[in-house]
Amino acid sequence: MTKTKQILNLALPAMVENILQMLMGVVDSYLVAQVGLVAVSGVSVANNIITIYQAIFIALGASCASLIAKSLGQKDSQKTNRFIWDSILITVGLSLLLGLISLLAGKSILNLLGTEAAVTEASSLYLALVGGGILFLGLMTTFGSILRAQGKPRLSMNVSLIANLLNALLSACAVYIFHWGIAGVAGATVLSRLIGTLILWQAMQLDRKTIQITKPFNRELFNLVLPAAGERLMMRAGDVVIIAIVVKFGTEVVAGNAIGETLTQFNYMPGMGVATATVILVAHSLGSQKKEEIRSLVAASYWISTGLMILVAGAVFLFGPQLTGLFTDNSRAVDASMVVILYSFMGNPVTSGTLIYTATWQGLGEAKMPFYATTFGMWVIRIFAGYFLGISLGLGLAGVWIATVLDNLFRFIFLYIRYQKYMKTI
């Protein structure tokens, strides 16, 4: 099997699943936009917190997939089984913690962003409901990662499709029939994820008699999960600070930025799908002692990811005004959305590099390097440059997105150079 086929066999189902998960957010944003700009701004701000949770679960899932794939490459079934159950246990514990934070401290966290009172109220309601039920998103993410590592990526994809169809149906009923607004959309999201979780659990057919939990904890898993989750946390927490900068430009720009980010999420789906495949294939090659394959896998992953991302981003850019018009007819919000779409398109090659080389390091079992790169890139380059360009120099939202491209450029170069040096040592 060629490298391209190997990558695409894993990447395409993961890509479709990522798109389906993002569609859930698009459906929510579209339906909430029918309520008004305050509502869509509120959900946007709350989703920046939810996205932090989701990013942590994605990092956890990638770490689990990496270690499960490596143990499968080593043909160690006992270790594979232990990694599966440890992953589920960690997901449940982490989800319960994040759910409590959403319920008990969500409004206090949102108040720190300095949004208008009406936007904060809308945000806190959505965060309490969706964040309080975050367990089901966590379990769906982990179950999907386990299935992909076992070579069953289409099963998780099919369940995501079912969950999204349910979410669209239930959310539409909540808004148009029952007029429940934000609460109805949030409730539909949680319920559809609960149903998806139950279907995946049944499909996995795990024998509870085989439960093996590492005591006191799985050091190998934690050594990979903690820096990987820390990297995502630094990224998403930084995004919240960026939103605090964007808030300075007004509610209309916040809404336009939210709409633009909702649309450009599709630009990154091919890269995220290929990155998922890269983690698994690199880890499997490492476990099978086929280290000579890693270089060709990584190179192929980058070019496949970049090509697909440019195609999708080009389509979003071409139809940007029409797509934005589905959400709002406010001219300032439309202009802000197009700024996001433009810079997302221009930055795709370096964003692709950041995604693929982050995945490569995770597959190699060395998640600390992306953590260092993201921490510096986000908190030193993106935030400071975003504030300086956007506010101090008066470039507005364009300044914030120029800083975003600079951050991704730095991380791509840093991770690539360190990777080349590392490969000479193994």
Side-chain angles (χ1 to χ4, degrees):
M1 187 182 294
T2 65
K3 295 291 183 294
T4 299
K5 191 172 181 180
Q6 274 185 300
I7 294 165
L8 291 178
N9 278 346
L10 283 171
L12 289 177
M15 196 184 308
V16 172
E17 186 176 348
N18 286 334
I19 291 172
L20 290 171
Q21 287 178 355
M22 292 305 174
L23 272 175
M24 191 174 289
V26 172
V27 169
D28 284 1
S29 295
Y30 175 77
L31 291 172
V32 169
Q34 312 312 305
V35 180
L37 278 180
V38 169
V40 76
S41 296
V43 170
S44 166
V45 173
N47 268 330
N48 277 277
I49 307 297
I50 300 295
T51 302
I52 294 175
Y53 300 168
Q54 187 174 21
I56 293 173
F57 289 130
I58 289 172
L60 172 60
S63 301
C64 299
S66 173
L67 292 173
I68 291 169
K70 184 179 177 181
S71 62
L72 287 170
Q74 295 168 336
K75 304 187 186 304
D76 189 335
S77 58
Q78 185 175 2
K79 185 183 285 189
T80 299
N81 185 61
R82 195 169 68 251
F83 280 137
I84 289 172
W85 287 108
D86 284 344
S87 300
I88 294 171
L89 179 64
I90 292 172
T91 301
V92 171
L94 181 60
S95 298
L96 294 177
L97 175 62
L98 294 176
L100 284 174
I101 290 173
S102 300
L103 290 169
L104 302 178
K107 191 169 184 178
S108 299
I109 294 170
L110 292 166
N111 279 328
L112 296 175
L113 299 179
T115 54
E116 297 173 5
V119 174
T120 301
E121 284 299 320
S123 299
S124 59
L125 174 60
Y126 189 84
L127 181 59
L129 292 171
V130 177
I134 205 68
L135 170 66
F136 309 121
L137 174 61
L139 287 174
M140 281 191 70
T141 304
T142 295
F143 290 167
S145 297
I146 292 169
L147 289 166
R148 281 190 291 271
Q150 293 176 324
K152 305 171 186 175
R154 288 180 176 80
L155 181 55
S156 180
M157 179 190 72
N158 291 335
V159 174
S160 288
L161 176 59
I162 293 170
N164 272 271
L165 291 173
L166 276 172
N167 179 61
L169 177 63
L170 294 173
S171 294
C173 289
V175 171
Y176 293 117
I177 298 176
F178 298 106
H179 306 290
W180 288 340
I182 290 175
V185 172
T189 298
V190 174
L191 181 58
S192 61
R193 285 172 176 164
L194 166 61
I195 294 170
T197 299
L198 294 175
I199 295 172
L200 277 176
W201 173 257
Q202 288 296 116
M204 289 172 70
Q205 298 181 333
L206 293 176
D207 186 353
R208 279 170 286 189
K209 295 178 182 179
T210 66
I211 293 177
Q212 293 183 35
I213 304 297
T214 306
K215 298 178 180 179
F217 56 85
N218 191 318
R219 292 183 180 274
E220 190 174 358
L221 182 56
F222 270 91
N223 286 340
L224 190 55
V225 166
L226 290 178
E231 187 265 339
R232 291 292 86 193
L233 182 60
M234 288 295 101
M235 183 70 186
R236 295 310 173 194
D239 283 342
V240 174
V241 178
I242 292 294
I243 285 296
I245 295 174
V246 174
V247 163
K248 304 293 184 183
F249 307 136
T251 299
E252 292 172 326
V253 174
V254 172
N257 184 73
I259 293 167
E261 288 192 323
T262 297
L263 294 172
T264 56
Q265 285 180 88
F266 293 101
N267 299 359
Y268 313 128
M269 293 303 100
M272 292 173 66
V274 176
T276 298
T278 304
V279 171
I280 294 170
L281 292 172
V282 168
H284 194 276
S285 295
L286 192 64
S288 302
Q289 298 297 309
K290 297 177 180 178
K291 298 175 183 177
E292 68 281 355
E293 290 186 358
I294 294 175
R295 284 186 182 276
S296 57
L297 277 169
V298 173
S301 293
Y302 173 73
W303 290 113
I304 292 170
S305 169
T306 303
L308 292 175
M309 284 177 68
I310 288 174
L311 284 175
V312 175
V316 172
F317 177 71
L318 184 63
F319 297 104
Q322 292 82 3
L323 292 171
T324 301
L326 295 174
F327 294 86
T328 182
D329 58 1
N330 183 287
S331 60
R332 195 167 181 222
V334 171
D335 289 343
S337 176
M338 287 307 300
V339 167
V340 177
I341 291 170
L342 171 63
Y343 284 100
S344 175
F345 172 67
M346 291 172 61
N348 263 283
V350 293
T351 304
S352 173
T354 300
L355 288 170
I356 297 304
Y357 284 95
T358 295
T360 299
W361 282 104
Q362 290 173 343
L364 291 169
E366 300 287 341
K368 290 181 180 179
M369 200 61 67
F371 172 74
Y372 298 145
T374 296
T375 301
F376 184 86
M378 170 57 81
W379 291 88
V380 176
I381 297 177
R382 187 181 301 197
I383 290 175
F384 280 98
Y387 184 89
F388 177 72
L389 294 172
I391 296 178
S392 299
L393 292 186
L395 294 179
L397 189 61
V400 171
W401 280 89
I402 290 170
T404 299
V405 175
L406 292 175
D407 166 31
N408 281 317
L409 177 62
F410 159 75
R411 284 191 282 150
F412 177 23
I413 294 172
F414 176 81
L415 292 173
Y416 174 78
I417 291 173
R418 297 299 302 176
Y419 161 75
Q420 293 294 343
K421 291 181 179 179
Y422 182 84
M423 290 301 293
K424 294 177 182 178
T425 66
I426 63 173

